[in-house]
Amino acid sequence: MLIVQKFGGTSVGDLERIQNVANRVAETKKAGNDVIVVVSAMSGETNKLVEYAEHFSSNPARAEMDMLLSSGERVTASLLSIALNEMGHNTVSMTGRKAGIITDNLHTKARIEEIDPTTMNNALKEGKIIVVAGFQGVSLEGNVTTLGRGGSDLSAVAIAGAVKADLCEIYTDVSGIYTTDPRIEPKARKLDLISYDEMLELASLGAKVLQNRSVELAKKLNVNLVTRTSFSNEEGTLITKEENIMEKPLVSGIALDKNQARISLMGVTDRPGIASDIFGKLAASDVNIDMIIQNKAHDGTTNIDFTVAKGDLYDAKNVVDGFVKSGEIKADSYNEQICKVSIVGVGMKSHTGVAAKAFLTMANDNININMISTSEIKVSMVIDEKYAELAVRSLHNAYELDK
Amino acid sequence: MLIVQKFGGTSVGDLERIQNVANRVAETKKAGNDVIVVVSAMSGETNKLVEYAEHFSSNPARAEMDMLLSSGERVTASLLSIALNEMGHNTVSMTGRKAGIITDNLHTKARIEEIDPTTMNNALKEGKIIVVAGFQGVSLEGNVTTLGRGGSDLSAVAIAGAVKADLCEIYTDVSGIYTTDPRIEPKARKLDLISYDEMLELASLGAKVLQNRSVELAKKLNVNLVTRTSFSNEEGTLITKEENIMEKPLVSGIALDKNQARISLMGVTDRPGIASDIFGKLAASDVNIDMIIQNKAHDGTTNIDFTVAKGDLYDAKNVVDGFVKSGEIKADSYNEQICKVSIVGVGMKSHTGVAAKAFLTMANDNININMISTSEIKVSMVIDEKYAELAVRSLHNAYELDK
């Protein structure tokens, strides 16, 4: 098999851990696989460099930040290559440039445009273990770029796609994807398998493990993604396309998002285009809308409720205030004491009654549902924040996710 | 003027010092000059990375060391660029690759083959201050290389040559080149001017400041080199071609080299080619010979005395032992308690009596001269090490170098 293994900052956090990573890579190679390793900077290094830069400027040029920050991964890549070489393996370390990772020129948050795998393929043919500095690429203008948060995961997935790897393993300090947050429900169970789409909907479960950008790229490139821990030999969770999952579970997991705020607009003037005006201005202010409910009041005006991320609340209020002042909205109110609970599962597509069971479970616990939204594989409910943990546990139990 | 300014590791040793460097560069720019800055890694960084590598291997691959070590200069370059940018200057940092520094592929001690100054010239035309990561280049194969000890100085001199800079300033923690080591002779005087050739002969005075590789390259490229301190505004020493020095001093400085050992071969068989055999084998063992004296003994055999660096003594002994065993040398002896004192000055070419004054000075102090060698601009004497400081002070006084 051709396997891409990605190790994050904590997995390469000190010299001893880098040696552990070398041992693991060597085992994979000895088992008869070809290996490309993608590494992050040693944990703390990137933050240190950011602090250095902030000493000089509160708004350093992005191209300079890329020059600065791309150095950390180079250090880890060469050290790991040296360690593997000492163990008798033929190795080569590569910068993003050398690995053929071409990006656009949006410094500090560049997007991968293409990967030219020629150099990597040649090294693989020579039997070499390749160690790639993650998080970085090179723009068409020839300048070093970085890929933003979670960038090393993106490097790994994109490389796995380009070299047609059989597997892309993302090693972190978490052992995989769970049916829900084990800190809320100790009976949460690690999943062996999950589809890309479920993983994307379970973002709040996976966010600490894997960003949506990486899952989306894996889906697009059809890369079999595994998240597992670098601190033991425990098997992880395979994220793959739905067709590869034989027995499709009704519900795969329960996600909880406490980072939600609800905005209620009362007495919105009923004229054509008013909703487009409001949400257009919110979009222009970079406010991301999650759920929307609209209903007519008896006086002919409209009430609109919607949710935003808590961090966007201030900007959203500014926009809404304008409409209140102009009289097009009679009153507004805000509630940050809410949360969103979601039930996710590909099995929902072909089964009925999944949503009904969720509503019944909430009713049994006397939890009021403020808003509901559904997709093919997800049911989301906005409830009072104080019921968050109770709702998660009850739903986990109702769908028998611990079995 | 177009000025290249190079700042070494101690000059950029912490964030405050980097800000000081930024202030100095900004002053130079404000005075109406174009500036290219070349920086080393922050002091301690390179050693730290070397230690990291040695944790994994006693003999890490050289290409990997280059990948590893080249990261330190990138960090300093981007930080300095950010600092200058914050002060309102238009800046750009460049890796060795970006600056067009092409080297051979002798990793960790690469030689600069050529510099393509196109990118730098374009940036200068746009009024930008350029900050180049020193010590590094890129091989024709596209791999990052480093230039070995003193590599950032070489980068600066080579860049100055390529862009036809008016001046290349090397900033260190020393204020310039002195007539002799001020720790030995407190009356030592800083030189305003010195020729390339004198500087090369005074290597032991300048070694802490400037390596011969850099001086040789400056001579070849006709670069006006200035060594000065980054910790004050004190003027430094200009190293330039002899034609630029109007008033040629008889003697410019006194150099002392304690890193010498003397090897005496007694009763060397007098056959054609014996000297060639001995010194050929020494060369093959990488032993560098400095001075040689040969004289016939009464019995028809030859006595040969020569000096080597103390570090080469062990290897030299091994070679000599072979000839002693074969009987071609009757006896050998070794003396590490010696030193070499040299008087250097371009004025010697056109003046007589300079050497005679040196010998007389030694005689007045009852110092025995063991070996003598002379060149156009230098007189070197090997004496007992215990007289080293006395000899330097007496010669400094005899040639009135404090005036």
Side-chain angles (χ1 to χ4, degrees):
Chain A
M1 288 216 293
L2 171 53
I3 303 180
V4 174
Q5 299 188 316
K6 182 260 167 180
F7 296 91
T10 40
S11 301
V12 294
D14 58 34
L15 301 183
E16 200 183 325
R17 286 186 176 179
I18 291 175
Q19 185 62 55
N20 287 342
V21 167
N23 296 343
R24 184 178 287 270
V25 172
E27 273 170 36
T28 312
K29 178 73 178 171
K30 271 184 207 152
N33 303 294
D34 284 325
V35 191
I36 298 175
V37 193
V38 178
V39 287
S40 300
M42 294 167 78
S43 59
E45 280 300 306
T46 303
N47 286 344
K48 186 189 77 178
L49 293 174
V50 169
E51 275 168 30
Y52 280 6
E54 285 173 349
H55 174 86
F56 296 110
S57 170
S58 56
N59 187 26
R62 287 168 183 273
E64 295 298 345
M65 286 308 286
D66 281 354
M67 168 94 155
L68 181 67
L69 298 182
S70 60
S71 64
E73 282 74 18
R74 298 164 70 103
V75 169
T76 323
S78 45
L79 290 177
L80 180 58
S81 175
I82 287 168
L84 283 162
N85 197 233
E86 181 72 12
M87 294 165 79
H89 293 281
N90 199 353
T91 67
V92 61
S93 71
M94 295 188 185
T95 59
R97 178 194 304 269
K98 190 88 184 173
I101 301 176
I102 315 294
T103 74
D104 60 21
N105 59 9
L106 284 174
H107 285 285
T108 73
K109 47 181 181 182
R111 301 186 76 91
I112 297 175
E113 302 235 311
E114 63 166 305
I115 292 191
D116 173 358
T118 315
T119 309
M120 286 191 290
N121 283 337
N122 288 340
L124 288 175
K125 267 180 216 149
E126 293 167 12
K128 285 179 179 163
I129 297 174
I130 304 172
V131 187
V132 181
F135 179 62
Q136 60 184 265
V138 64
S139 67
L140 283 171
E141 294 86 354
N143 297 313
V144 64
T145 54
T146 65
L147 307 175
R149 230 175 98 79
S152 291
D153 289 356
L154 278 179
S155 303
V157 172
I159 287 171
V163 300
K164 302 195 192 329
D166 300 283
L167 217 56
C168 178
E169 299 182 328
I170 308 286
Y171 285 87
T172 68
D173 46 3
V174 180
S175 57
I177 310 297
Y178 281 74
T179 49
T180 196
D181 186 340
R183 287 169 306 180
I184 295 174
E185 173 51 270
K187 284 187 279 184
R189 194 171 42 80
K190 194 178 68 204
L191 295 161
D192 294 331
L193 268 176
I194 190 169
S195 70
Y196 298 123
D197 290 328
E198 287 172 307
M199 186 66 225
L200 289 168
E201 295 287 12
L202 284 171
S204 76
L205 285 182
K208 283 151 285 176
V209 186
L210 209 54
Q211 287 201 296
N212 273 2
R213 270 175 97 190
S214 300
V215 181
E216 279 160 9
L217 189 63
K219 183 184 173 187
K220 185 176 158 195
L221 301 177
N222 197 17
V223 168
N224 286 318
L225 205 56
V226 171
T227 73
R228 56 188 299 182
T229 173
S230 59
F231 299 123
S232 81
N233 280 319
E234 198 180 335
E235 295 284 339
T237 302
L238 171 64
I239 305 160
T240 187
K241 62 180 170 184
E242 206 179 310
E243 295 89 311
N244 292 343
I245 301 176
M246 303 304 258
E247 209 171 320
K248 294 178 177 51
L250 212 57
V251 172
S252 290
I254 315 287
L256 171 65
D257 183 0
K258 287 186 166 186
N259 183 34
Q260 292 269 322
R262 178 181 175 173
I263 300 177
S264 303
L265 312 180
M266 274 80 66
V268 179
T269 308
D270 193 20
R271 67 156 169 88
I274 179 74
S276 150
D277 272 8
I278 295 171
F279 291 107
K281 283 207 170 138
L282 286 166
S285 297
D286 267 339
V287 173
N288 228 338
I289 310 296
D290 187 6
M291 293 162 72
I292 305 177
I293 289 176
Q294 176 170 346
N295 63 307
K296 275 247 159 88
H298 296 294
D299 61 358
T301 62
T302 305
N303 295 334
I304 300 177
D305 278 50
F306 60 94
T307 59
V308 299
K310 277 180 178 152
D312 284 347
L313 190 55
Y314 179 83
D315 287 338
K317 272 182 179 174
N318 274 343
V319 172
V320 168
D321 280 354
F323 288 94
V324 173
K325 271 178 198 148
S326 74
E328 294 203 287
I329 294 175
K330 282 199 193 117
D332 54 347
S333 74
Y334 302 89
N335 185 357
E336 291 188 73
Q337 309 303 316
I338 60 157
C339 68
K340 183 173 73 169
V341 182
S342 304
I343 300 133
V344 175
V346 281
M348 286 186 203
K349 288 185 190 175
S350 47
H351 283 76
T352 53
V354 174
K357 183 182 271 189
F359 305 150
L360 180 64
T361 305
M362 293 299 96
N364 286 342
D365 283 338
N366 278 325
I367 299 172
N368 197 31
I369 304 173
N370 295 320
M371 298 169 87
I372 295 171
S373 82
T374 58
S375 75
E376 261 201 312
I377 62 165
K378 185 175 77 163
V379 177
S380 290
M381 299 173 288
V382 169
I383 60 173
D384 279 2
E385 194 173 18
K386 62 183 172 188
Y387 295 119
E389 289 78 11
L390 172 60
V392 167
R393 280 192 294 265
S394 296
L395 291 166
H396 199 268
N397 189 47
Y399 293 104
E400 299 180 322
L401 292 182
D402 54 332
K403 302 268 159 66
Chain B
M1 289 217 292
L2 171 53
I3 303 180
V4 174
Q5 299 187 317
K6 182 260 167 179
F7 295 92
T10 40
S11 301
V12 295
D14 58 36
L15 301 183
E16 200 184 323
R17 287 186 176 178
I18 291 176
Q19 185 61 56
N20 287 342
V21 166
N23 296 344
R24 183 178 289 268
V25 172
E27 272 171 35
T28 311
K29 177 74 177 168
K30 273 185 205 152
N33 303 294
D34 285 325
V35 191
I36 299 174
V37 193
V38 177
V39 289
S40 301
M42 294 166 78
S43 59
E45 279 300 306
T46 303
N47 286 345
K48 186 189 77 178
L49 294 174
V50 169
E51 276 168 29
Y52 281 6
E54 285 173 350
H55 174 85
F56 295 110
S57 170
S58 56
N59 187 26
R62 288 168 183 271
E64 295 297 347
M65 288 307 287
D66 281 352
M67 169 95 155
L68 181 68
L69 298 183
S70 60
S71 65
E73 282 74 19
R74 298 165 71 104
V75 168
T76 323
S78 44
L79 289 177
L80 180 59
S81 176
I82 287 168
L84 283 162
N85 198 232
E86 182 73 11
M87 295 165 79
H89 293 281
N90 198 353
T91 66
V92 60
S93 71
M94 296 187 183
T95 58
R97 179 194 303 269
K98 190 89 183 173
I101 302 176
I102 315 294
T103 74
D104 59 22
N105 60 9
L106 284 174
H107 285 287
T108 74
K109 48 181 181 183
R111 301 186 77 90
I112 297 175
E113 302 235 313
E114 62 166 306
I115 292 192
D116 174 358
T118 315
T119 310
M120 287 191 288
N121 283 335
N122 288 340
L124 287 175
K125 267 180 215 149
E126 294 167 10
K128 284 180 180 163
I129 297 175
I130 304 171
V131 187
V132 181
F135 180 61
Q136 59 185 265
V138 62
S139 68
L140 283 171
E141 293 86 355
N143 297 313
V144 64
T145 53
T146 65
L147 307 175
R149 232 175 98 77
S152 291
D153 289 356
L154 277 179
S155 302
V157 172
I159 286 171
V163 301
K164 302 195 194 325
D166 300 284
L167 217 55
C168 178
E169 298 181 329
I170 308 285
Y171 286 87
T172 68
D173 47 2
V174 179
S175 57
I177 308 298
Y178 281 73
T179 48
T180 196
D181 186 341
R183 288 170 306 181
I184 295 174
E185 172 52 270
K187 284 188 277 181
R189 194 172 42 82
K190 194 178 66 204
L191 295 161
D192 294 330
L193 269 176
I194 190 170
S195 70
Y196 299 122
D197 289 328
E198 287 173 307
M199 186 67 223
L200 290 169
E201 296 287 12
L202 284 171
S204 76
L205 284 182
K208 282 151 285 175
V209 185
L210 208 55
Q211 287 201 297
N212 272 3
R213 270 174 97 189
S214 301
V215 180
E216 279 160 8
L217 188 62
K219 182 184 173 185
K220 185 177 157 195
L221 301 177
N222 197 16
V223 168
N224 286 317
L225 206 56
V226 171
T227 73
R228 55 188 298 183
T229 173
S230 59
F231 299 123
S232 80
N233 280 318
E234 197 182 334
E235 295 284 340
T237 301
L238 171 64
I239 305 160
T240 188
K241 61 179 170 183
E242 207 178 309
E243 295 89 311
N244 291 344
I245 302 176
M246 303 304 258
E247 209 170 320
K248 295 178 177 50
L250 210 58
V251 171
S252 291
I254 314 289
L256 172 64
D257 182 359
K258 287 188 166 184
N259 183 32
Q260 292 268 323
R262 178 181 175 174
I263 301 176
S264 304
L265 312 180
M266 273 82 66
V268 179
T269 306
D270 194 20
R271 67 158 168 86
I274 179 74
S276 151
D277 272 7
I278 295 171
F279 290 108
K281 284 207 170 137
L282 286 166
S285 297
D286 267 339
V287 173
N288 228 339
I289 309 296
D290 187 5
M291 292 161 73
I292 305 178
I293 289 176
Q294 177 170 345
N295 63 306
K296 276 245 160 88
H298 295 294
D299 60 358
T301 63
T302 305
N303 294 336
I304 300 176
D305 278 49
F306 59 94
T307 59
V308 298
K310 277 180 177 153
D312 284 348
L313 191 54
Y314 179 83
D315 288 337
K317 272 183 180 172
N318 273 343
V319 171
V320 169
D321 279 354
F323 287 93
V324 172
K325 271 179 197 151
S326 73
E328 294 202 286
I329 295 174
K330 280 200 194 118
D332 54 347
S333 74
Y334 302 89
N335 185 357
E336 292 188 73
Q337 309 303 315
I338 60 156
C339 69
K340 183 174 72 170
V341 181
S342 304
I343 301 135
V344 175
V346 281
M348 285 186 205
K349 287 183 189 176
S350 47
H351 284 76
T352 53
V354 174
K357 183 183 270 190
F359 305 152
L360 180 64
T361 306
M362 294 299 96
N364 284 342
D365 283 337
N366 277 325
I367 300 172
N368 196 32
I369 304 173
N370 294 322
M371 299 169 87
I372 296 171
S373 81
T374 59
S375 76
E376 260 201 312
I377 62 166
K378 185 175 77 162
V379 177
S380 290
M381 299 173 289
V382 169
I383 60 173
D384 279 3
E385 194 172 17
K386 63 184 171 186
Y387 295 119
E389 289 78 11
L390 172 60
V392 166
R393 278 192 295 265
S394 295
L395 290 165
H396 198 269
N397 188 49
Y399 293 105
E400 299 181 322
L401 292 181
D402 54 332
K403 302 268 159 67

